[in-house]
Amino acid sequence: ERLGMVEAVWGEHKTAEQIITILERFSAADELGLVTRVSPEKADAVLAALPAVKAHAHARCLTLGELPAPPPGPPPVAVLSGGSSDRSVVAEATLALSCHGIAVDPLMDVGVAGLHRLLDQLPRLESAVVLIACAGMEGALPTVLAGLVPQPIIGVPVSVGYGISQGGRTALEGMLASCAPGLTVVNIDNGYGAAMAALRMLRNR
Amino acid sequence: ERLGMVEAVWGEHKTAEQIITILERFSAADELGLVTRVSPEKADAVLAALPAVKAHAHARCLTLGELPAPPPGPPPVAVLSGGSSDRSVVAEATLALSCHGIAVDPLMDVGVAGLHRLLDQLPRLESAVVLIACAGMEGALPTVLAGLVPQPIIGVPVSVGYGISQGGRTALEGMLASCAPGLTVVNIDNGYGAAMAALRMLRNR
Amino acid sequence: ERLGMVEAVWGEHKTAEQIITILERFSAADELGLVTRVSPEKADAVLAALPAVKAHAHARCLTLGELPAPPPGPPPVAVLSGGSSDRSVVAEATLALSCHGIAVDPLMDVGVAGLHRLLDQLPRLESAVVLIACAGMEGALPTVLAGLVPQPIIGVPVSVGYGISQGGRTALEGMLASCAPGLTVVNIDNGYGAAMAALRMLRNR
Amino acid sequence: ERLGMVEAVWGEHKTAEQIITILERFSAADELGLVTRVSPEKADAVLAALPAVKAHAHARCLTLGELPAPPPGPPPVAVLSGGSSDRSVVAEATLALSCHGIAVDPLMDVGVAGLHRLLDQLPRLESAVVLIACAGMEGALPTVLAGLVPQPIIGVPVSVGYGISQGGRTALEGMLASCAPGLTVVNIDNGYGAAMAALRMLRNR
Amino acid sequence: ERLGMVEAVWGEHKTAEQIITILERFSAADELGLVTRVSPEKADAVLAALPAVKAHAHARCLTLGELPAPPPGPPPVAVLSGGSSDRSVVAEATLALSCHGIAVDPLMDVGVAGLHRLLDQLPRLESAVVLIACAGMEGALPTVLAGLVPQPIIGVPVSVGYGISQGGRTALEGMLASCAPGLTVVNIDNGYGAAMAALRMLRNR
Amino acid sequence: ERLGMVEAVWGEHKTAEQIITILERFSAADELGLVTRVSPEKADAVLAALPAVKAHAHARCLTLGELPAPPPGPPPVAVLSGGSSDRSVVAEATLALSCHGIAVDPLMDVGVAGLHRLLDQLPRLESAVVLIACAGMEGALPTVLAGLVPQPIIGVPVSVGYGISQGGRTALEGMLASCAPGLTVVNIDNGYGAAMAALRMLRNR
Amino acid sequence: ERLGMVEAVWGEHKTAEQIITILERFSAADELGLVTRVSPEKADAVLAALPAVKAHAHARCLTLGELPAPPPGPPPVAVLSGGSSDRSVVAEATLALSCHGIAVDPLMDVGVAGLHRLLDQLPRLESAVVLIACAGMEGALPTVLAGLVPQPIIGVPVSVGYGISQGGRTALEGMLASCAPGLTVVNIDNGYGAAMAALRMLRNR
Amino acid sequence: ERLGMVEAVWGEHKTAEQIITILERFSAADELGLVTRVSPEKADAVLAALPAVKAHAHARCLTLGELPAPPPGPPPVAVLSGGSSDRSVVAEATLALSCHGIAVDPLMDVGVAGLHRLLDQLPRLESAVVLIACAGMEGALPTVLAGLVPQPIIGVPVSVGYGISQGGRTALEGMLASCAPGLTVVNIDNGYGAAMAALRMLRNR
Ligand SMILES: Nc1ncnc2c1ncn2[C@@H]1O[C@H](COP(=O)(O)O)[C@@H](O)[C@H]1O
Ligand SMILES: Nc1ncnc2c1ncn2[C@@H]1O[C@H](COP(=O)(O)O)[C@@H](O)[C@H]1O
Ligand SMILES: Nc1ncnc2c1ncn2[C@@H]1O[C@H](COP(=O)(O)O)[C@@H](O)[C@H]1O
Ligand SMILES: Nc1ncnc2c1ncn2[C@@H]1O[C@H](COP(=O)(O)O)[C@@H](O)[C@H]1O
Ligand SMILES: [Mg+2]
Ligand SMILES: [Mg+2]
Ligand SMILES: [Mg+2]
Ligand SMILES: [Mg+2]
Ligand SMILES: [Mg+2]
Ligand SMILES: [Mg+2]
Ligand SMILES: [Mg+2]
Ligand SMILES: [Mg+2]
């Protein structure tokens, strides 16, 4: 396609039948198919009909077709996250990048409430070209990160939290309001979007 | 008064005449008078009528009566802030504490976008009994602080910011959503309230 | 850990498997484990795997390891609440304090719509060092309390209510807007956070 | 008019010229005219053209025509308020009632942060048929009142406050969420509406 | 009780066991018990334990004890509603009034989109002392009514609607913003509160 | 232009100099120029430079060029409004239509709080092809109208009101939530947009 | 009925029994019955009782009675949509129009992220008298369309999206804020309302 | 500084005196100084004290020190905007980039309501490495752009609009909700932040 991106199918409001039809169309056109936001029940129904489909449970995604092997060398994208509750967003971003042959260096559990775990990992971030920082609750991780390293940072607010932070709005607004310069942000839980933004940035190399 | 606190008069919606009447009543009762949220124009009008009143420009406050001298020793309260725009909130909290004979150690310009300035000041915080942390924009300062030190921390969101963070709600929600345990919060710009909360906590010593 | 607090594991978005792994890690390190926001189903699954775990149904929490016995003397923390619907928040705060060997004096059903029940209990509050006041609906309990007693008061808004007060925002905003000086507030339903704030304040004794 | 109420003219968005024209029409029809939300400047312009108009500065209102004298006996309506900042809403309600020959018993400065001032006034409330309770900030006054007395209570949220309570929404939502049974509410600052609601209720006598 | 009202028990967040205990306490004190917001499942569990309890399905309520017979004569309260979706709110208000021996004249299906159905019923409203008007969606019924009749009108917004009006906020705000004078409002779906407000007003007769 | 509409220039954020340049460009191209949202001061500055410009004070607009004469016959568009505060929105819609040679029948002061004034005007509405209904506060006028007449109705919420209805959101949401079928809505105060929508509909004749 | 529209029954909050009763009444009056927002379970229950009812699964609707045959010629209404997730809103609008004998030209999958698919369909839109444009997420389709074609366009925001766009508010606000002149909007997911608005406009022909 | 960025001083809440002190400090350290959000009055006061300062009126910024000359070749950043009202945001972004020696290609007046103006400029965009797209109202420009070109795109919502779009939130939410993959967003009016994000991305070349 014109933009050079695997256009993900958003599975949330689609029936298993609709997803199957779309994946068959991709397959016929010999294109890699990626479906996001697929519940376990829907995934099972699709797999029953199309056994070649691969289900990615953590990422709540389906793929059909071979993922391209990433080139050798250090992964160009680091994906950071504050806690294990952000796992499915991290997995969605990682899978979307591997659909384009891009490897990811994952740094989990580096939330700002335990700052030293994050500071300890800074040297490891040096080889990354782009950083994706996922955080729920108050979402301060990308802000702190943007004050520490010079690369592009994409903040992904996560819909983890309760009370005032339920649904991810507090994390989103905190990232947008950040006083650290040059942080950009995508929609809540939008791991796929963050991956595509990273892809656009990597093409500059 | 029953609670052992100087009850501040909230000057925002009062006329100079109303403020003068109230201060004369305090003076007659031989009580220290504190008026908050007083515009420069109103302050001038009050001073013209009551020359014994003292205007505190940064704090936008008036006092009538002698402030008690703080006891010797290190200040029991540290007031931190991310930037010079938070100045008037810091000043209101500081003045309200000095109305009760409590000294303050001020740490300005220790925002999270330049983390090392904050980390450098940690040793200085050790003698503080209570910390008041003021921050606008995304308001991450109290969260980061609460992950680093064990004392009580009172977060004060500041109505500094623009766009999504205009008016201080983003800072407020970020502090409430904090994943650092045991942080408490007061209303936006409520320097006086933070001071009174600190006062309540100091009585435990 | 550096802050001297049992760091609770937030169970809401974790699977039983994740919780089991984390608790085993705590156990191996000989640390007390506390998991909050655990549904009955998840609790059962964890208990089946780890019979030494103790489930606290009202608090929706799990613990692994011996709770320290509180020292003799009157409980230093009073936890008040307006109605029986606030029960699980009260229980979470109480359990989090007992994980640190701190006893609680519970005062249920002292809501402001029946003011005399609250006024009758005032003498009993005198020996408390810190007060935690939980309230849903319009959340006026901590405000009224803060006008009556001089100790530190931590307001906990509860997600009990319907229509305009559904989800606890009205209670939260009422507490933040309080005209009683020196009240501080934590996130909606954050019993654990209120307990940790009380713990920070108790250390001042 | 059909409803037996003086229909107030809402002056906020009208020019002095429009107000003059409307008042002349009322005058020609020999009806009492009441204009609310009139700025001092507009009031001056109207008075210059129509010297028979009376300006009520606290209430920000104008009247043209004789106000009916209230019948002898105790005032049937009590208007309570938490602080002197609520003064103009109290004045608007009072004036709108006196346009219908109804007297008011005013109780100012009975806010819930100083509960004993309110409790001291309870006996005085017994002769009131309807109560109007005005409050800004967290707006808890009508809730506390409705738990103490059996008459109809009309809550009027006031746009006094700052930060979270700025504009009166917190007071409004607190009143609507009230756990005291049978409290009704009008729009923020709607002194005139509260008066008309009281008038409807008084007709039942 | 002091206010002369049956204090309803709010059943929403209580277990069947809690409700049973409370009802037994009422019964032992020989007081009429009323529980609101009870799901069918909970109702069944309570009835199994306490066969003397009466379940009111439309109102989602339980009562224990004899309802007082209303005095002869036309019902003093009219309850109006725009559509059959408002039924459970209407039923809750009606039951709460009959717990106090007050009869209700119900007028369903008189929404403003079919104005003539409402206009046709106006004569029937003349004998009502108080009107309760329930409406979801845009909630215009009480506004139109308040322009047509002189009695007290209590608006009850109903959580019926979708999109922008989902949850009842649009109806609530429309009623509060009403340009018809003297309309008062209660919380969304608060049939019990509207009934108690009517009760307070009826005592003036 | 392609759409056959006079494209208005939105004057709000433009300087007088920018507006002058744009109008000169229109004039050179021999096109009718329409500028909306122009403050009196800016209008004066533009007129000083371009004396051929015509200022429309009520509509807060400027035009340059001859307005086309409307064809004979009854005006195809009726513009209704609830009160005189809606005047500038009505005037903007009317002027935008006359820029296209379309005449308007204005019906002011037909708000729903005085329903009979509206019902009295119904026969006059019969010849209108399209109706534009402007309303602030609770914005119920278009809903009531859409239940009474079969033509297309465009609701225009007006930013008139205070408290909950300040800024026009309550009117907007009430119109969108309307239970009267087939009502469409434009942005708050968008008289120009309503006129252009009417223009699109009139072309169907 | 007076307005010449099939008045749809809103099925969301009604029981199957209520729906059956209403449909029988329509049938007895020999009127076409249309019920919207009917879940599959409720539909089954209604069909079991009234086998003549027809269920429209995509539209989540029921009809009872013969749909009028559309007249020959090109369909006067085009319904456009950005993606297959908007399907049920499109189906509701289409069915509501066919209840009035009006045919629809459907254009699915013409979202703005792939602009050329939309541009390719422009010629096909020329014969449409009215356009209904359904879009979720950011809802930009009607805006882009309104800049390209001169007919009336009704925007229907769809409650498809996640994070910030969950529930359809972002799409709604984007359509209302549109800088393309003359676009009108209905409530989120209001396919029926858009159809009735189109019906009102078509009568002008 | 560590990040290799000119750290702008946010001038909005600072006095002229504060700005002068800060600029003198920069000057003494031989660093380029950039102050944003400076009102014309404040700018004049600063220039009176420091004649070497340069005021950038459109950008509402001050600089002190020589701006680095951009290297030869096509500008690596394109800044697009929908209308002339977005001018000051465009100017802030442009100035912040030129402080780092980066040239900008400006494309004004390419809003989505006149799509062809945008489509005509596509070839010109090919040489840009990063695109910054500024838009107010419904903010659809970056979405449409992201569907057309493969480079990184930074959306900047602008606080231009009225009614529902006043303050820029609608534009912000529309950009976040975008169905075009890989668009990232900064705070409303944050031209400086968009420039710094572009700077981070350009370093990858
Ligand atoms: N700056 C302030 N922030 C918060 N509360 C304040 C402030 N100044 C005064 N108050 C409180 O506001 C109340 C005074 O209100 P008033 O009676 O209107 O003067 C008292 O309860 C004070 O404790
Ligand atoms: N019930 C609770 N309320 C508030 N914070 C909690 C709660 N339980 C755990 N936490 C905090 O949430 C974080 C745990 O997140 P996680 O690493 O995902 O388990 C820690 O900072 C805890 O202190
Ligand atoms: N009063 C108005 N309300 C809504 N849209 C307007 C108004 N005036 C002008 N417009 C639209 O705003 C755009 C003009 O924006 P600009 O290019 O900034 O002048 C055009 O699309 C006009 O159709
Ligand atoms: N126009 C602007 N938009 C966003 N951030 C800015 C702007 N100008 C300055 N900043 C940031 O705001 C902070 C400066 O705050 P202060 O210390 O109060 O001057 C720095 O982190 C800057 O990077
Ligand atoms: Mg996190
Ligand atoms: Mg800050
Ligand atoms: Mg409560
Ligand atoms: Mg008050
Ligand atoms: Mg209704
Ligand atoms: Mg109106
Ligand atoms: Mg779409
Ligand atoms: Mg724009």
Side-chain angles (χ1 to χ4, degrees), chain B residues 2 146-147 149 151 181 185 200 203, chain C residues 2 146-147 149-151 181 185 200:
Chain B
R2 201 176 43 260
V149 306
Q151 295 103 317
V185 185
R200 289 176 183 260
R203 290 199 185 118
Chain C
R2 201 178 42 265
V149 306
Q151 294 103 316
V185 186
R200 288 176 184 258

Side-chain angles (χ1 to χ4, degrees), chain E residues 40-76:
Chain E
E41 297 70 35
K42 253 190 243 177
D44 287 349
V46 174
L47 260 77
L50 297 178
V53 163
K54 187 159 166 17
H56 306 258
H58 288 345
R60 293 171 303 164
C61 288
L62 303 176
T63 51
L64 181 55
E66 200 69 32
L67 302 194

Side-chain angles (χ1 to χ4, degrees), chain A residues 82-83 86 111 134-139 160, chain B residues 179:
Chain A
D86 309 329
C134 308
M137 306 280 193
E138 86 294 351
V160 147
Chain B
C179 55

Side-chain angles (χ1 to χ4, degrees), chain F residues 78-83 86-91 93 107-108 110-111 131-136 139-142 145 153-158 171 175 189-191 194:
Chain F
V79 179
L80 302 95
S81 125
D86 308 330
R87 187 166 63 157
S88 77
V89 175
V90 167
L107 290 89
M108 308 297 284
V110 289
L131 284 75
I132 295 176
C134 308
L141 174 60
L145 206 57
I153 298 172
I154 302 162
V156 189
V158 179
M175 293 179 193
D189 292 338
N190 194 358

